Amino acid sequence: MNEEYPKPPFASQPQDVPGMQGKMDPYPDCGEKSYKGSGRLQGKIALITGADSGIGRAVAIAFAREGAQVAISYLNEHEDAQETKRWVEEAGRKCLLLPGDLAQKQQCEDIVSKTVAEFGRIDVLVNNAAFQMTHETLDDISDEEWVKTFDINITAMFRICKAAVPHMPRGGSIINTSSVNSDMPKPTLLAYATTKGAIANFTGGLAQLLGDKGIRVNSVAPGPIWTPLIPATMTDEDVKSFGSETPLGRPGQPVEVSPIYVLLASDEASYISGSRYAVTGGKPIL
């Protein structure tokens, strides 16, 4: 099955940030046709940020097919979000759509309060939303863009966790999306890579803070994954060769990342906390 996934080179396909999955070629596999659930998250309530497309969509589909009700937060990609909702509802689960900018403190608090108002609690929180831009020099990074990257990638995570924890029962799970860039920072993604290192440290510290509440905290560190953020934020040359540097010679598909989120969200991971899990196509994180 894995050998059938697309390998570079990929065609030029520039998009505006944050990008639309429906415009991508090849179209990312988020498990729409392939992911099979087995009730591992039956009865759980999940809030997932950045769940309109890419990894977030794959996680939403997997969670729904495992039995969870799902709330998805996204910026303004309404068409993609509706497609995710369609797949969640096709699995027989409710899907709450929560559009808005997570760079704003109020939006971070609102997605939690609206999820709790709809479902009563939050069992699983997946902080997955992210922003990145590619730059060749330090001078190319504006102060405004640096602050925006931190606001979306790590400050929002802090705010959402702070708002959500009072509504999470013992046995709850927080899963944060880090990156292979937290270990091997790509210089042209300086701001993004820096936030991903912060996420890894935030996760390790928070796991220790929340241990007495019975809430587990882990992070997932994907390598190059074929999502809308790639054509929307990278050069044509980077897109063309995307994923070619991995030992497997290709980018991962979102559906290849979602199973680790399912494990970490499930009761099977009851003694797993403070850890980081690599899904990198062979690039080691040691």
Side-chain angles (χ1 to χ4, degrees), residues 198-282:
I199 290 167
N201 277 274
F202 175 78
T203 300
L206 189 62
Q208 296 172 75
L209 279 180
L210 299 184
D212 63 349
K213 295 182 183 294
I215 297 172
R216 298 176 294 103
V217 190
N218 294 285
S219 66
V220 177
I225 307 297
W226 187 241
T227 74
L229 207 57
I230 305 312
T233 64
M234 293 188 170
T235 66
D236 284 351
E237 198 57 40
D238 284 339
V239 170
K240 181 180 179 181
S241 62
F242 187 69
S244 61
E245 76 284 4
T246 68
L248 292 185
R250 62 171 178 85
Q253 295 294 318
V255 69
E256 297 181 281
V257 189
S258 60
I260 190 65
Y261 288 83
V262 172
L263 170 63
L264 295 174
S266 75
D267 294 339
E268 298 162 29
S270 56
Y271 200 61
I272 299 175
S273 192
S275 298
R276 185 165 51 132
Y277 291 85
V279 187
T280 62

Side-chain angles (χ1 to χ4, degrees), residues 33 48 64 75 88 103 106:
K33 303 293 186 183
I48 308 167
L75 181 59
V88 169
Q106 190 61 53

Side-chain angles (χ1 to χ4, degrees), residues 134-168:
T134 302
H135 295 290
E136 295 297 324
T137 72
L138 186 62
D139 288 340
D140 289 339
I141 306 171
S142 70
D143 188 82
E144 292 76 16
E145 185 182 303
W146 181 270
V147 171
K148 177 180 179 179
T149 308
F150 271 77
D151 281 348
I152 294 171
N153 294 8
I154 182 66
T155 303
M157 190 174 293
F158 159 74
R159 290 168 171 166
I160 295 166
C161 286
K162 191 173 181 179
V165 164
H167 304 285
M168 298 184 72

Side-chain angles (χ1 to χ4, degrees), residues 2-286:
N2 290 352
E3 290 303 312
E4 297 174 4
Y5 284 132
K7 291 187 174 183
F10 300 116
S12 172
Q13 45 193 295
Q15 292 196 42
D16 294 330
V17 179
M20 294 289 292
Q21 185 153 309
K23 296 180 179 179
M24 293 182 69
D25 177 26
Y27 190 81
D29 181 358
C30 291
E32 294 93 339
K33 303 293 186 183
S34 59
Y35 189 91
K36 303 283 192 292
S38 55
R40 295 166 73 190
L41 304 180
Q42 197 67 42
K44 292 189 183 293
I45 309 299
L47 169 58
I48 308 167
T49 69
D52 55 290
S53 63
I55 293 172
R57 177 186 287 182
V59 171
I61 291 171
F63 278 17
R65 292 183 185 172
E66 295 290 354
Q69 314 286 9
V70 180
I72 68 171
S73 160
Y74 64 100
L75 181 59
N76 57 13
E77 310 90 326
H78 303 295
E79 187 176 327
D80 277 349
Q82 287 292 341
E83 180 71 0
T84 302
K85 182 180 181 181
R86 182 174 74 82
W87 286 109
V88 169
E89 292 179 341
E90 193 171 288
R93 309 300 160 197
K94 291 182 180 178
C95 184
L96 177 64
L97 297 183
L98 300 166
D101 184 2
L102 293 180
Q104 307 302 315
K105 180 181 180 183
Q106 190 61 53
Q107 178 65 9
C108 296
E109 295 171 350
D110 284 351
I111 66 170
V112 170
S113 62
K114 289 176 180 178
T115 301
V116 173
E118 178 71 21
F119 298 116
R121 67 181 190 281
I122 297 171
D123 297 301
V124 184
L125 170 61
V126 178
N127 288 301
N128 172 70
F131 172 80
Q132 70 175 36
M133 290 299 292
T134 302
H135 295 290
E136 295 297 324
T137 72
L138 186 62
D139 288 340
D140 289 339
I141 306 171
S142 70
D143 188 82
E144 292 76 16
E145 185 182 303
W146 181 270
V147 171
K148 177 180 179 179
T149 308
F150 271 77
D151 281 348
I152 294 171
N153 294 8
I154 182 66
T155 303
M157 190 174 293
F158 159 74
R159 290 168 171 166
I160 295 166
C161 286
K162 191 173 181 179
V165 164
H167 304 285
M168 298 184 72
R170 296 188 71 83
S173 174
I174 297 172
I175 310 167
N176 301 321
T177 302
S178 179
S179 168
V180 67
N181 278 280
S182 62
D183 257 38
M184 294 178 283
K186 189 173 182 179
T188 54
L189 290 172
L190 183 64
Y192 172 84
T194 304
T195 64
K196 292 300 179 175
I199 290 167
N201 277 274
F202 175 78
T203 300
L206 189 62
Q208 296 172 75
L209 279 180
L210 299 184
D212 63 349
K213 295 182 183 294
I215 297 172
R216 298 176 294 103
V217 190
N218 294 285
S219 66
V220 177
I225 307 297
W226 187 241
T227 74
L229 207 57
I230 305 312
T233 64
M234 293 188 170
T235 66
D236 284 351
E237 198 57 40
D238 284 339
V239 170
K240 181 180 179 181
S241 62
F242 187 69
S244 61
E245 76 284 4
T246 68
L248 292 185
R250 62 171 178 85
Q253 295 294 318
V255 69
E256 297 181 281
V257 189
S258 60
I260 190 65
Y261 288 83
V262 172
L263 170 63
L264 295 174
S266 75
D267 294 339
E268 298 162 29
S270 56
Y271 200 61
I272 299 175
S273 192
S275 298
R276 185 165 51 132
Y277 291 85
V279 187
T280 62
K283 278 189 168 185
I285 290 181
L286 302 175

